[in-house]
Amino acid sequence: DTAVSQTPKYLVTQMGNDKSIKCEQNLGHDTMYWYKQDSKKFLKIMFSYNNKELIINETVPNRFSPKSPDKAHLNLHINSLELGDSAVYFCASSQEGGRGFDTQYFGPGTRLTVL
Amino acid sequence: SQQGEEDPQALSIQEGENATMNCSYKTSINNLQWYRQNSGRGLVHLILIRSNEREKHSGRLRVTLDTSKKSSSLLITASRAADTASYFCATLYSGNTPLVFGKGTRLSVIA
């Protein structure tokens, strides 16, 4: 059983397109996150949600819109994709309230390539 | 930037040797966490050490925290080829900022 799953694993698309990445966790956690890892392996938080409420929004362009239909799911929709959006996007979850007080469990990542 | 710094950036050792990685951070913290990332995979949590703790162990892993020097170290004893991965420290600073990851140390264990 996969604890945190993401789909798709790979996403290749043209500049200007809109795409979504889905994330689901079956750990019963209250908090979910989206991270972006660039080509230099630098990992930076984008968003966190606690019980479907936005807790952290780290100055991410508003082309990125997270949506949490329930506390087990946090999807990421990206409008008007740009070359600089190419990266690996990781979803994560934790039991606590959204900043990092507790262990985070990561999904396998979605490698997004914008051409 | 509050990003922590791992040192070294890359480390190559023989199987059976010990590997030590260091992490320095900027201001007072709530906790510091170490994660491992195998190539092409997600991060896996290793150890969380709180600001009032000085040392924690988990199997072959030992983490120390020196708040006076604002640094932490991760020691992997008797390394194995399967320990080959990137290791990241992540710091939760006091205040209202989220967890901040360092740039990682790439460890290669040669059989």
Side-chain angles (χ1 to χ4, degrees), chain B residues 20-48:
Chain B
T20 300
M21 289 159 267
N22 303 297
C23 172
S24 59
Y25 56 90
K26 301 285 174 65
T27 60
S28 63
I29 61 171
N30 180 288
N31 70 53
L32 187 144
Q33 304 176 34
W34 284 93
Y35 287 81
R36 183 187 74 230
Q37 184 179 32
N38 290 86
S39 181
R41 310 289 291 273
L43 279 75
V44 174
H45 183 264
L46 298 176
I47 290 182
L48 182 154

Side-chain angles (χ1 to χ4, degrees), chain A residues 68-83:
Chain A
S68 183
D70 55 62
K71 73 173 192 177
H73 295 84
L74 181 62
N75 303 322
L76 184 64
H77 188 75
I78 316 169
N79 289 329
S80 304
L81 278 155
E82 301 177 357
L83 293 176

Side-chain angles (χ1 to χ4, degrees), chain A residues 8-103:
Chain A
K9 189 168 174 61
Y10 299 96
L11 187 51
V12 181
T13 188
Q14 299 286 332
M15 253 176 30
N17 284 351
D18 303 338
K19 290 294 177 185
S20 292
I21 307 171
K22 295 186 175 182
C23 178
E24 176 180 2
Q25 55 96 2
N26 63 6
L27 297 167
H29 288 164
D30 287 338
T31 304
M32 296 183 72
Y33 309 78
W34 277 110
Y35 286 88
K36 178 181 179 181
Q37 188 173 45
D38 63 23
S39 57
K40 295 183 179 177
K41 303 297 184 188
F42 177 41
L43 191 72
K44 187 168 167 48
I45 191 166
M46 300 172 69
F47 302 102
S48 78
Y49 269 72
N50 179 260
N51 262 319
K52 303 194 297 174
E53 286 192 31
L54 181 66
I55 303 296
I56 295 171
N57 180 343
E58 281 292 294
T59 60
V60 178
N62 57 15
R63 298 183 296 104
F64 291 78
S65 52
K67 285 189 171 48
S68 183
D70 55 62
K71 73 173 192 177
H73 295 84
L74 181 62
N75 303 322
L76 184 64
H77 188 75
I78 316 169
N79 289 329
S80 304
L81 278 155
E82 301 177 357
L83 293 176
D85 298 332
S86 294
V88 182
Y89 292 84
F90 287 99
C91 177
S93 74
S94 69
Q95 185 53 46
E96 53 76 29
R99 279 192 24 197
F101 291 105
D102 201 0
T103 300

